[in-house]
Amino acid sequence: MTAQRLLVVEDEPTLRELLSASLRLAGFDVVTAATGSEALTAVRGQRPDLIVLDVMLPDIDGFQVLRRMREQHPAAGVAFPPVLFLTARDAPEDRISGLRAGGDDYVTKPFNLEELVLRIQAVLRRTGGDPGDGRLVVGDLELDTHSHQVTRGGQPVHLSRTEFSLLRVLMEHAGQVLSKPQLLELVWHYDFGGDDSIVATYISYLRRKIDPGDPKLLITVRGTGYLLHRPRS
């Protein structure tokens, strides 16, 4: 089996080498970059399975690096790799900014190397698809966990990775009301210290893409949470 490839973007040389050595010992193939510009070049040439991205880089802010990576990514048929932000900025608004930028997890410095490896493995499992045929169907909405393709009424729906993960959780729990704290746990696997505004933001994004017409599938249950409605046959 080919080792999963990680791109580690960290400007501090000692930490970069320590991360690289630890992740190689954990069984990963590791490539590194010291700046945002190097990271943009590396992600094109190396095709990593996951990116460990420092936020405070010397040339380009890590959040902006991720935005540029997404802009240059070939969208058709190729999933963008998950991203784990690594930073000393631990304020709740920084974590939310990182996940809104498209990050899949957010680890603050100082950190435990063993925990970091476990977090990376968890993100890879969470974004790697399911066994079986991988199809989820609710009414005329279909999601394929293997190809990361979504259709509504046979028409393709283009989602970001976070939107896809949110829709997948809602479809797996179709007909069940999920609260904001439940969605934070199931989709982001992160405790925001009570700030759950990111859930409403992504529900709004998702609703615009999957519910442009009727019947509406994504329902807000006031004071409770959100429900993906399963239409009657």
Side-chain angles (χ1 to χ4, degrees):
M1 182 180 295
T2 303
Q4 290 172 301
R5 176 170 295 172
L6 308 184
L7 169 60
V8 174
V9 187
E10 167 60 55
D11 66 310
E12 205 284 306
T14 302
L15 179 55
R16 186 171 63 249
E17 290 307 311
L18 177 62
L19 280 170
S20 300
S22 298
L23 293 170
R24 289 188 180 105
L25 283 173
F28 294 106
D29 176 21
V30 180
V31 293
T32 64
T35 65
S37 298
E38 289 181 11
L40 290 169
T41 300
V43 77
R44 287 194 300 266
Q46 299 294 336
R47 297 288 183 89
D49 296 296
L50 180 142
I51 302 167
V52 179
L53 179 57
D54 188 19
V55 173
M56 300 178 71
L57 295 170
D59 56 343
I60 311 171
D61 180 276
F63 298 153
Q64 184 62 32
V65 171
L66 178 53
R67 293 187 186 98
R68 293 190 189 181
M69 285 179 175
R70 289 188 175 279
E71 288 171 1
Q72 73 182 21
H73 184 71
V78 181
F80 190 82
V83 174
L84 184 147
F85 280 115
L86 187 64
T87 178
R89 290 159 53 173
D90 61 354
E93 56 268 27
D94 290 319
R95 299 171 191 163
I96 292 172
S97 294
L99 296 176
R100 280 181 174 157
D104 295 87
D105 204 347
Y106 195 105
V107 175
T108 56
K109 304 174 184 177
F111 54 86
N112 179 282
L113 282 169
E114 184 177 358
E115 179 187 355
L116 178 65
V117 170
L118 291 173
R119 296 279 280 272
I120 289 170
Q121 291 170 338
V123 170
L124 287 168
R125 284 196 304 271
R126 191 162 80 233
T127 58
D130 286 335
D133 67 4
R135 286 178 70 245
L136 296 171
V137 180
V138 177
D140 62 351
L141 179 67
E142 296 192 20
L143 178 149
D144 189 313
T145 62
H146 297 325
S147 66
H148 280 231
Q149 293 180 341
V150 176
T151 61
R152 175 84 197 266
Q155 298 301 310
V157 179
H158 301 290
L159 302 179
S160 70
R161 179 174 290 276
T162 302
E163 291 165 350
F164 181 90
S165 297
L166 175 58
L167 179 59
R168 175 175 172 173
V169 166
L170 289 165
M171 292 183 75
E172 288 173 340
H173 297 80
Q176 175 184 346
V177 179
L178 296 175
S179 67
K180 288 182 179 179
Q182 285 176 313
L183 288 170
L184 280 177
E185 174 62 26
L186 292 168
V187 177
W188 286 274
H189 297 249
Y190 208 95
D191 178 10
F192 286 91
D195 190 339
D196 54 14
S197 62
I198 192 171
V199 176
T201 298
Y202 271 93
I203 287 288
S204 176
Y205 295 160
L206 192 57
R207 181 174 279 130
R208 286 200 295 267
K209 293 184 178 183
I210 70 167
D211 268 348
D214 292 316
K216 303 298 184 186
L217 296 180
L218 186 48
I219 308 299
T220 298
V221 182
R222 293 193 180 278
T224 306
Y226 303 96
L227 163 72
L228 194 69
H229 175 63
R230 191 183 293 278
R232 295 179 180 176
S233 301

